[in-house]
Amino acid sequence: MRMLLRALCIVACSGACFPLYPYKARSVDGGTGSTGTTGGTGTIIDDTPALAISLEQTTIDLLSGDRVGLSVTVTRPQSLAGAVTLSVANLPAGVSVEIPDLPAGTSLARLVFVTAAVAATPATSVTIAAAMTGASNASAPVTMTIGNGKRVTVSPASVRLVRGTPLSFTATLARDSGFSGVATVEVIGATADFTGATSATLAAGSTIQPFNFATGGAQVPAQVDLRVRVTHAGLALPDETVSVDLRPLPGSPDTSFGTNGARQDTIGNVMAAPVQAIVTAGDAVLVLATTYATPPGDVTEREVAVLMRYNVTGAPQIIAQLAISTPSERPLFAKAMRLDGSGRILVLGETDVVGGFRSLYVARLLANGALDDSFGTNGAVLLSTLPGPLGPPLGPCSAGSIFVRGGQVIVLAKATDNAASCSSPGSIRTVLFAFDDTGTMVPGYDSAGAHDVYAVHTEGGSYDQTLAGGAENASGEIVALGGSIRSGSNTMALASRFDTLAPPAIAVNSFAAVSFATSGSNGADVLRGATAAAAGSWYAVGSATRTTWAVEHALVARIKSDGVLDGTFASSGVLHFVPGIAASEGRLAAVITDAMNRAIACGTLVDSLAAKRMVATRLTPSGTVDDAFGSQGYFVVTPAAGDLEGGAMAIDSKLRVWIFGGQPATGNVYAARLFSE
């Protein structure tokens, strides 16, 4: 009956009337009449009301990192006012959508399409649909395309800088028809370390917004992630990040260590500055020194080697005390150490002079400081003679350094072929020899044939050699350092290189020994420490004296891979200077290099009051003191009282430089930690 009334109303209105609410028309089959005649087809009116939907636009262009809005208007039937559910189908991979609720009484919704880092995608037809209870669904298509590139980019995305250095970066907004209007750009997460404007307005059509900040704050490392947010047409696009690695001023103390970056500890009764430091796992540092003590079970107080471990907070722990108790209680002076591939610690030392010669001591310790019984006798080897390369045995004179190569322990030492003593002129030799994993001396050879001593080098003529130590590089080359005593009391700095060919073979003196000193008598250049540098070169440090100076100067040299002094460093390859502000004289004992091939050295200065202080300095690659390091190029540690001599240094994984010194008069050990960059 209702269908009939509606039809009559439509006929009566003659086209001037409108439906009371939307509806759908559908085609139906008339079926078969009662008389057997076939009925025709016709259209009847579906009384289910329909939703209507319209879109703000029918195309959307996206880039990676987009947030793009699309307004959707939904028209309900007049008889219905309930909530409408919106849905989106056939989205391209990597695109998500934020769909708001459309509660009763509201008709406008804003969808937000979000893209991750996705590749370009061809045009895709995406369906926007609306549904509600009591009405039939409505839908509309929108064509979606993903282009190459990102909507917002920052440059640079990561920055490493020293506090006090300005920070500058830009945010770029990729424009198209949907992003042509005014945008705001914000920097979120700026800490008190940054000073500068954190928001800006990007005018319509503009694409690049620069930001500039001054940096400051406490001289400690910090990692800060600045988030850059662009808002356009009321929508905040996904944040982009500028990662800022703030570094303290190079040469400034690490105040988390000790008191203002330094600490004093009493470790027995230290006789001199520590001789070597090595960084181990977790940035703990092993330190080797000589102290004066009575070893457990002995009766004689004497020099013994002590091995300390400093943890990252700086508290030292004695992990080993090495002494010679048999066949007699003798002093043991610490000289060098090295870690092998298994984390074991090799220690090299020397005894006092008996019968004109010293004995050499090599020990291997486990990581916990216990002697490794599988090496030598109860973990150590004591050598009173060395097999001579050309016949008679060599008399040991001093220990230089120790290395681990091809499963072998290689020792650099000074020896003499004079049967009388190490003080005999013209008899001193620099030698290399090796032990296997059990502490047994292994055959080696030099140019004269197979011998137990790997290599022998004599500087030439009837000159004596002093040996202060050695260094190695990644190619297996070893440099021996010291001086060659000439007539007239003139000492020439001396460096000799030994090349590892294939264990156990070592080629002797593959470049000429480097000797240098200002001409004339009563002058001296002596090398005490070295480290490998870029392009096969070496930095060597020590001290120098001249009659015209009247005081001792620090010495830094750069030696090229062919053994020639590098003339691009300090114009001659050698720099002589007094290390420290208002210092009267000084010397250097150890050196390391940083990632920029700069030498950082540690040693001792004498101030205007004749007091000794531990000092660290950095040299530029061109051979000048780097004023950007510390205070005018220097970091100085002044003890509470007495003299302090610098001796060992290391650099850890966080680019912190550890320097170690000793106070022979009081027996104290000083440790300091500073930032290198």
Side-chain angles (χ1 to χ4, degrees):
M1 181 64 178
R2 187 171 59 186
M3 297 287 287
L4 176 60
L5 289 174
R6 182 179 296 172
L8 290 174
C9 178
I10 293 172
V11 171
C13 290
S14 302
C17 296
F18 295 91
L20 297 178
Y21 46 80
Y23 60 90
K24 281 187 177 181
R26 58 189 176 123
S27 176
V28 299
D29 190 337
T32 303
S34 59
T35 60
T37 60
T38 301
T41 58
T43 300
I44 65 171
I45 303 301
D46 185 350
D47 61 351
T48 304
L51 294 170
I53 187 170
S54 62
L55 305 179
E56 175 187 16
Q57 61 196 61
T58 58
T59 60
I60 298 178
D61 295 323
L62 296 170
L63 294 176
S64 291
D66 254 346
R67 281 173 58 87
V68 176
L70 175 67
S71 294
V72 178
T73 303
V74 176
T75 303
R76 294 177 179 82
Q78 291 183 7
S79 62
L80 300 176
V84 174
T85 300
L86 298 176
S87 62
V88 179
N90 201 35
L91 280 173
V95 180
S96 61
V97 61
E98 299 170 3
I99 304 175
D101 296 330
L102 196 60
T106 59
S107 60
L108 180 64
R110 188 165 176 79
L111 306 181
V112 179
F113 295 94
V114 182
T115 60
V118 294
T121 303
T124 302
S125 180
V126 176
T127 301
I128 314 296
M132 70 176 294
T133 302
S136 56
N137 297 349
S139 63
V142 60
T143 301
M144 188 174 292
T145 303
I146 302 175
N148 287 309
K150 297 180 68 174
R151 179 65 61 194
V152 177
T153 55
V154 291
S155 180
S158 62
V159 183
R160 182 174 185 162
L161 49 81
V162 173
R163 290 181 184 272
T165 304
L167 168 66
S168 297
F169 61 88
T170 60
T172 301
L173 175 64
R175 298 283 197 175
D176 58 27
S177 58
F179 284 85
S180 59
V182 175
T184 59
V185 188
E186 301 174 86
V187 176
I188 302 169
T191 62
D193 303 305
F194 302 90
T195 303
T198 57
S199 64
T201 299
L202 195 61
S206 297
T207 59
I208 299 176
Q209 177 59 51
F211 285 93
N212 298 285
F213 293 93
T215 64
Q219 294 298 327
V220 295
Q223 182 71 45
V224 181
D225 287 339
L226 301 177
R227 292 179 289 119
V228 179
R229 180 175 298 168
V230 176
T231 302
H232 180 271
L235 287 176
L237 301 174
D239 295 347
E240 292 294 320
T241 300
V242 178
S243 294
V244 184
D245 184 5
L246 285 173
R247 302 298 303 172
L249 288 169
S252 59
D254 180 357
T255 54
S256 68
F257 180 85
T259 302
N260 197 31
R263 61 179 296 132
Q264 170 191 308
D265 296 285
T266 300
I267 307 294
N269 188 12
V270 171
M271 302 300 296
V275 296
Q276 194 163 6
I278 296 177
V279 176
T280 62
D283 282 338
V285 181
L286 291 175
V287 179
L288 182 65
T290 303
T291 188
Y292 201 73
T294 303
D298 288 359
V299 296
T300 305
E301 187 179 30
R302 60 193 187 278
E303 292 84 354
V304 297
V306 62
L307 186 61
M308 300 164 278
R309 178 183 286 119
Y310 284 76
N311 61 28
V312 72
T313 62
Q317 172 192 10
I318 295 178
I319 65 170
Q321 193 178 65
L322 303 175
I324 299 175
S325 300
T326 57
S328 62
E329 296 181 1
R330 297 181 63 182
L332 175 61
F333 301 91
K335 298 295 289 186
M337 67 175 168
R338 195 76 55 180
L339 296 179
D340 69 8
S342 300
R344 297 172 299 191
I345 308 162
L346 280 303
V347 174
L348 174 65
E350 64 187 29
T351 68
D352 56 340
V353 176
V354 175
F357 304 102
R358 298 180 185 272
S359 294
L360 303 183
Y361 174 88
V362 181
R364 189 168 71 194
L365 293 79
L366 304 177
N368 63 4
L371 283 166
D372 182 358
D373 289 341
S374 67
F375 184 86
T377 301
N378 299 322
V381 176
L382 186 65
L383 294 174
S384 58
T385 61
L386 296 173
L390 302 178
L394 297 177
C397 296
S398 67
S401 194
I402 190 167
F403 309 95
V404 178
R405 192 74 45 73
Q408 297 180 347
V409 178
I410 300 176
V411 175
L412 175 68
K414 184 177 73 170
T416 178
D417 57 6
N418 186 286
S421 71
C422 291
S423 60
S424 300
S427 65
I428 306 302
R429 309 287 185 262
T430 299
V431 299
L432 284 171
F433 55 92
F435 300 96
D436 65 15
D437 192 59
T438 68
T440 302
M441 212 168 179
V442 299
Y445 65 85
D446 62 14
S447 57
H451 303 287
D452 285 342
V453 173
Y454 270 8
V456 177
H457 170 66
T458 303
E459 192 272 335
S462 59
Y463 308 124
D464 291 339
Q465 294 174 336
T466 62
L467 178 64
E472 65 177 336
N473 63 15
S475 300
E477 299 167 336
I478 295 173
V479 164
L481 306 168
S484 176
I485 302 172
R486 302 292 183 107
S487 59
S489 301
N490 186 31
T491 300
M492 308 288 281
L494 178 65
S496 305
R497 190 180 74 189
F498 301 85
D499 294 342
T500 299
L501 303 179
I506 291 183
V508 183
N509 197 21
S510 59
F511 68 4
V514 179
S515 300
F516 50 90
T518 302
S519 60
S521 62
N522 299 317
D525 281 3
V526 177
L527 301 180
R528 291 184 170 87
T531 188
S537 61
W538 305 80
Y539 280 114
V541 298
S543 63
T545 58
R546 301 289 184 272
T547 53
T548 54
W549 295 345
V551 295
E552 189 176 34
H553 281 49
L555 177 157
V556 181
R558 191 163 71 205
I559 306 168
K560 296 193 295 185
S561 61
D562 59 0
V564 177
L565 289 170
D566 186 348
T568 66
F569 181 83
S571 73
S572 64
V574 183
L575 176 67
H576 297 109
F577 64 105
V578 176
I581 305 167
S584 61
E585 60 181 301
R587 70 186 71 91
L588 297 175
V591 61
I592 57 176
T593 54
D594 65 11
M596 297 179 65
N597 199 37
R598 295 173 298 199
I600 304 174
C602 168
T604 306
L605 66 82
V606 180
D607 65 17
S608 57
L609 299 178
K612 294 179 180 180
R613 304 288 182 254
M614 183 164 65
V615 63
T617 186
R618 187 172 75 184
L619 284 300
T620 66
S622 62
T624 60
V625 174
D626 188 349
D627 289 341
F629 183 87
S631 177
Q632 300 181 46
Y634 302 99
F635 175 88
V636 179
V637 179
T638 300
D643 290 337
L644 173 60
E645 300 179 7
M649 65 189 311
I651 187 167
D652 66 21
S653 65
K654 294 181 176 60
L655 305 181
R656 297 172 300 196
V657 175
W658 298 65
I659 59 175
F660 298 91
Q663 290 188 286
T666 61
N668 294 325
V669 172
Y670 265 78
R673 192 167 70 198
L674 55 146
F675 297 106
S676 66
E677 56 180 77

